[in-house]
Each structure stands twice: as structure tokens, then as C-alpha cells.
């Protein structure tokens, strides 16, 4: 089959690789009909994530048709399914608590050490995202093996095309959980840093969950326009001092809840971010934590902080005093995708949630290397790239 493989920094290639096979009784093989490039994939593209190996198949946002099942799978051939990016067994301590991104069994023992060293516990298995997360082949391919297929994939009813449901695989549940972690109350103002795909879905979710006002913070004009079209008030951080602007917009109190949808790659020319960038470039640090610092300083006393943005290592100069003295609550973590699939699918079917606005480009799978380069170099106009294995390259 054809698949997108990793070969080093800014080097991803379409290769012919062996077709996946059933390995365990709970496996299924999926023929991919749609797959997407995630912002997190750019961290692999930039070679920021350790334990990648040449030839690894990328991609963790995908859906398709079931073509083969193991004897213990509950899926049937011909069903259309969306597959969560998190691989979860459904039976361990964390899965039984619906903390699926903490699954203890999906990351094989031989690939657990790095996570245990870095984070104090092994990471859960993820599709197409390094050997630290299990070394599973991803879905930017013609076919993929799905472990624990009796737990993860959700069957899509006829009448809902791929573009409407594809993002159930990752970014829609991530945005929804980010808003849910804010514990939104009537009258709340929620501030969202970052208007990328997760940030935009967090804005949409916060409004659906009852936020009185959502304030979106970014610097890309098109992304700010998308946020405004959803009902958010917007701040371009190039034009104002963000904390001062937020205070002015909230009567001097600050937002009730803040969402850091940026994570470890903050942009901007603030002093702390420049220092972070130097540390990252010289291997003296791993994360640029400017947004997290700004969030902790801007959130109102007694407020809530939600962090769906990914942090991967160490950050310093965190205003821990503000966190304690203001009595802030913090919730974060990889998304428990399985928990949200059914309710979000229902909201999509009812027309409450739209996801198609996010798609800026549709390309054949063979054009995936071009899609990565385009997404990396033009994040204002490129909001989401969806890849279609059945398309010929000439049709792009």
C-alpha cells in the first residue's frame, strides 16, 4: 500500500509499504477514506518529538471502511468508522474511569521506558506518533490496523459524509473537553489563546456549553476572522497588550476561564518567549511557555484554566505564585476521545455542531508532503488539510 512515512526533519515521503495484517483478535483493518494533517503532526515534521524512526507511518486523524476483522472485534465489514487517535483497551483502571488517554495497556512494555522517565508514567498508545507512544503505524495511508477495535471506533450512519465527522478522531473532542474542563457557568467569559483547529473548536464548544462571552487571541487575520464568525470577540496580540485588553473587556476582573490551545510553541517577540526560543534552539529547554504564563496572569482570582495545548518537557519562569495566590484551578491532559464520540456525533447529526468550516484544503494522499510543507509555512490561510486516498494526484 501507499503511505506517508517519516525520514527526518522536514522530510516526509510517500512510500510503498507492506499492507497491515490482523495481529490480535480484537484488531480490525480499515481502508482509509479520509485522513487529516494535525497541528501536532508538525512537531514530528519539525523533528521535535523523540523516538521517531525512519519509515514510521504518520497520521492520527482518520476514518474509513472496515475491510477485515479479528474474531473478537465487534465491527463488521463495510461499516464506516471514525477512529480515536488515542488507543485504549477499555478494561484497565483508567479506561473504566473513562480516562481513556491514560490507558495502561495500549503502549507495549518495550516502548514504555521513555515516557516513564520523562513523565513518571508510560504514555498511552497513539497512532502514528513515535515509539514513545507505542510505535503504531498511522492513518495517512491507504490502510491501517486498529487495535482494540471493539472499544475505539464509532460507526457512522449513512447520510453523514466524511468531512462532517472526520474530526471526531481528535480535534473536535479535544476542543470540547477543553471547554468542559472550564466548568462553564452562566454569565462566564472564556478567553481562548490560539485560533488553530483546537482553539476554534474550543470556541465553538464553549459557546454551546453556555459561555456568555468568548474572547479569542491570535495574530493570524484569517483565523481571527473565523473566530469572529463563530461569535467570539477577538484580540490580535500584535496590536495590544493581551492582559490589559482582557481586563478592559471584563470590567477589570479578568476572564472566568482561560484555555491555552497553543502549548509548547508560543509565537511572538515578548522577552520571555525570545529567551525560551534561544533555550530550545540550544537544547537548554524544550517548551516555549509564554502563553501559559500569560494565561495564569490574566485569569481572574478563583478562575479555571484549561490546557489542551501540548507541552512535552520542561518550562521555567512559570508564575507559580499567581497560580497559588489567585486560587486557580487547572485541568489538562490528552483527550479522552472515546468518552465524547457518541454525544458529539449526535450534535453533528442534529446540526448543532459544524466542522466543515475548518477545512481549507483537500488533497489526494499522494500530495501529503506538499500538504505538510504548505501547512507549516502558511498557517494563516491553511487551517486544515484533508487527504483523500481515493483521489488521483492530478485531480488536486
Amino acid at each position: 500500500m501507499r503511505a506517508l512515512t517519516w525520514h527526518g526533519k522536514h522530510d516526509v515521503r510517500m512510500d510503498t509499504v507492506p499492507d497491515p495484517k490482523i495481529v490480535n483478535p480484537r484488531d480490525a483493518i480499515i481502508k482509509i477514506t479520509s485522513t487529516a494533517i494535525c497541528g501536532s503532526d508538525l512537531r514530528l515534521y519539525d523533528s521535535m518529538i523523540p523516538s521517531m524512526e525512519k519509515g514510521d507511518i504518520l497520521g492520527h486523524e482518520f476514518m474509513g471502511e472496515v475491510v477485515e476483522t479479528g474474531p473478537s472485534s465487534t465491527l463488521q465489514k463495510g461499516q464506516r468508522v471514525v477512529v480515536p487517535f488515542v488507543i485504549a483497551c477499555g478494561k484497565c483502571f483508567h479506561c473504566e474511569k473513562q480516562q481513556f488517554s491514560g490507558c495502561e495497556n495500549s503502549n507495549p512494555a518495550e516502548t514504555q521506558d521513555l515516557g516513564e522517565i520523562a513523565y513518571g508514567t508510560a504514555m498511552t498508545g497513539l497512532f502514528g506518533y513515535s515509539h514513545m507512544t507505542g510505535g503504531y503505524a498511522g492513518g495517512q495511508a491507504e490502510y491501517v490496523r486498529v487495535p482494540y477495535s471493539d472499544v475505539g471506533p464509532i460507526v457512522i450512519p449513512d447520510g453523514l459524509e466524511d468531512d462532517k465527522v472526520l474530526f471526531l478522531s481528535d480535534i473536535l473532542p479535544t476542543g470540547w473537553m477543553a471547554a468542559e474542563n472550564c466548568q462553564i457557568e452562566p454569565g462566564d467569559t472564556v478567553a481562548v489563546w490560539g485560533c488553530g483547529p483546537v482553539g476554534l473548536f474550543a470556541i465553538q464548544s464553549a459557546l454551546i456549553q453556555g459561555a456568555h462571552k468568548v474572547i479569542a487571541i491570535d495574530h493570524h487575520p484569517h483565523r481571527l476572522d473565523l473566530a469572529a464568525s463563530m461569535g467570539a470577540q477577538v484580540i490580535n496580540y500584535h496590536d495590544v497588550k493581551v492582559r490589559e485588553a482582557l481586563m478592559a473587556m471584563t470590567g477589570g476582573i479578568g476572564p472566568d476561564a482561560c484555555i491555552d490551545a497553543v502549548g509548547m510553541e508560543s509565537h511572538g517577540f515578548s522577552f520571555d518567549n525570545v529567551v525560551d526560543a534561544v533555550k530550545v534552539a540550544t537544547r537548554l529547554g524544550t517548551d516555549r511557555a509564554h502563553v501559559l504564563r500569560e494565561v495564569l496572569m490574566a485569569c481572574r482570582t478563583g478562575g479555571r484554566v484549561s490546557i489542551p495545548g501540548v507541552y512535552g518537557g520542561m518550562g521555567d519562569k512559570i508564575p507559580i505564585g499567581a497560580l497559588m495566590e489567585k486560587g486557580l484551578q487547572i485541568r489538562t491532559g490528552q483527550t479522552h476521545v472515546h468518552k465524547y464520540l457518541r454525544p458529539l456525533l449526535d450534535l453533528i447529526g442534529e446540526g448543532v455542531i459544524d466542522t466543515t468550516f475548518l477545512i481549507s484544503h483537500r488533497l489526494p494522499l499522494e500530495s501529503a508532503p506538499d500538504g505538510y510543507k504548505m501547512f507549516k509555512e502558511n498557517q494563516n490561510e491553511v487551517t486544515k488539510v484533508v487527504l483523500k486516498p481515493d483521489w488521483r494526484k492530478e485531480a488536486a
Side-chain angles (χ1 to χ4, degrees):
M1 70 172 185
R2 298 289 283 165
L4 185 75
T5 59
W6 184 91
H7 290 271
K9 185 174 182 178
H10 300 162
D11 184 2
V12 294
R13 308 173 191 172
M14 289 302 304
D15 288 334
T16 298
V17 301
D19 291 350
K21 297 180 179 180
I22 298 291
V23 176
N24 297 309
R26 298 167 70 184
D27 288 351
I29 305 297
I30 309 297
K31 179 182 179 182
I32 303 299
T33 56
S34 295
T35 181
I37 302 174
C38 181
S40 294
D41 288 330
L42 295 183
R43 297 189 179 103
L44 303 177
Y45 189 64
D46 289 337
S47 198
M48 296 178 64
I49 305 299
S51 72
M52 290 295 293
E53 297 179 6
K54 290 186 177 181
D56 284 348
I57 299 173
L58 301 176
H60 60 270
E61 295 182 344
F62 57 87
M63 65 175 295
E65 178 184 339
V66 180
V67 295
E68 187 178 354
T69 60
S72 298
S73 175
T74 55
L75 299 178
Q76 299 176 13
K77 293 180 182 180
Q79 288 179 321
R80 293 172 60 233
V81 295
V82 173
V83 181
F85 80 96
V86 172
I87 303 171
C89 74
K91 297 181 179 181
C92 69
F93 173 86
H94 290 98
C95 285
E96 289 185 346
K97 289 182 173 293
Q98 293 194 305
Q99 297 172 345
F100 296 100
S101 66
C103 177
E104 304 162 30
N105 294 325
S106 59
N107 192 342
E110 60 268 23
T111 55
Q112 291 185 4
D113 288 353
L114 187 55
E116 289 178 348
I117 292 168
Y119 307 126
T121 188
M123 295 188 70
T124 297
L126 306 177
F127 286 102
Y129 217 79
S130 84
H131 292 262
M132 183 167 61
T133 60
Y136 290 95
Q140 288 169 2
E142 292 182 298
Y143 297 90
V144 67
R145 178 178 74 92
V146 177
Y148 305 117
S149 66
D150 55 323
V151 175
I154 186 168
V155 177
I156 303 301
D158 294 338
L160 285 176
E161 59 265 30
D162 283 16
D163 286 354
K164 288 186 176 181
V165 296
L166 172 60
F167 303 139
L168 286 169
S169 58
D170 177 0
I171 53 176
L172 177 58
T174 298
W176 186 268
M177 183 171 134
E180 184 179 83
N181 281 346
C182 289
Q183 300 174 308
I184 295 169
E185 300 172 353
D188 271 357
T189 294
V190 178
V192 180
W193 275 256
C195 293
V198 168
L200 289 168
F201 281 142
I203 291 166
Q204 186 182 51
S205 299
L207 290 167
I208 293 171
Q209 292 177 30
H212 174 69
K213 181 194 300 183
V214 175
I215 302 170
I217 303 147
D218 206 300
H219 70 294
H220 292 299
H222 177 58
R223 295 188 174 198
L224 288 170
D225 288 345
L226 286 175
S229 72
M230 300 169 68
Q233 299 181 23
V234 301
I235 292 175
N236 186 324
Y237 66 72
H238 282 167
D239 297 336
V240 299
K241 293 182 178 180
V242 172
R243 182 173 173 274
E244 292 179 4
L246 288 171
M247 289 298 172
M249 298 168 76
T250 57
I253 296 175
D256 300 286
C258 296
I259 297 175
D260 174 1
V262 176
M264 63 190 288
E265 296 174 277
S266 300
H267 296 282
F269 293 101
S270 61
F271 176 76
D272 66 315
N273 209 29
V274 171
V275 172
D276 285 345
V278 171
K279 288 182 177 180
V280 170
T282 55
R283 304 291 184 179
L284 295 176
T286 56
D287 296 11
R288 304 198 300 265
H290 168 73
V291 166
L292 180 57
R293 299 182 190 109
E294 195 165 74
V295 162
L296 296 177
M297 294 300 291
C299 193
R300 73 159 172 83
T301 297
R304 289 89 64 192
V305 173
S306 171
I307 311 174
V310 174
Y311 289 90
M314 299 292 182
D316 58 13
K317 304 294 188 294
I318 304 299
I320 193 74
L323 168 63
M324 186 275 170
E325 296 294 345
K326 294 165 74 173
L328 301 179
Q329 301 177 50
I330 294 182
R331 297 189 70 180
T332 185
Q334 294 284 4
T335 310
H336 308 309
V337 178
H338 305 55
K339 176 181 177 180
Y340 301 105
L341 287 176
R342 175 53 59 186
L344 289 176
L345 178 60
D346 290 344
L347 289 175
I348 291 171
E350 294 164 6
V352 176
I353 288 180
D354 169 59
T355 64
T356 58
F357 76 93
L358 188 65
I359 302 171
S360 57
H361 296 77
R362 296 172 179 85
L363 301 173
L365 178 64
E366 289 289 334
S367 295
D370 298 330
Y372 269 77
K373 187 174 187 294
M374 180 173 61
F375 196 11
K376 168 69 177 176
E377 295 178 355
N378 188 5
Q379 294 194 22
N380 179 47
E381 296 179 5
V382 183
T383 51
K384 198 65 177 178
V385 178
V386 173
L387 304 169
K388 304 283 189 176
D390 287 343
W391 287 14
R392 294 184 178 182
K393 190 168 184 178
E394 304 82 59

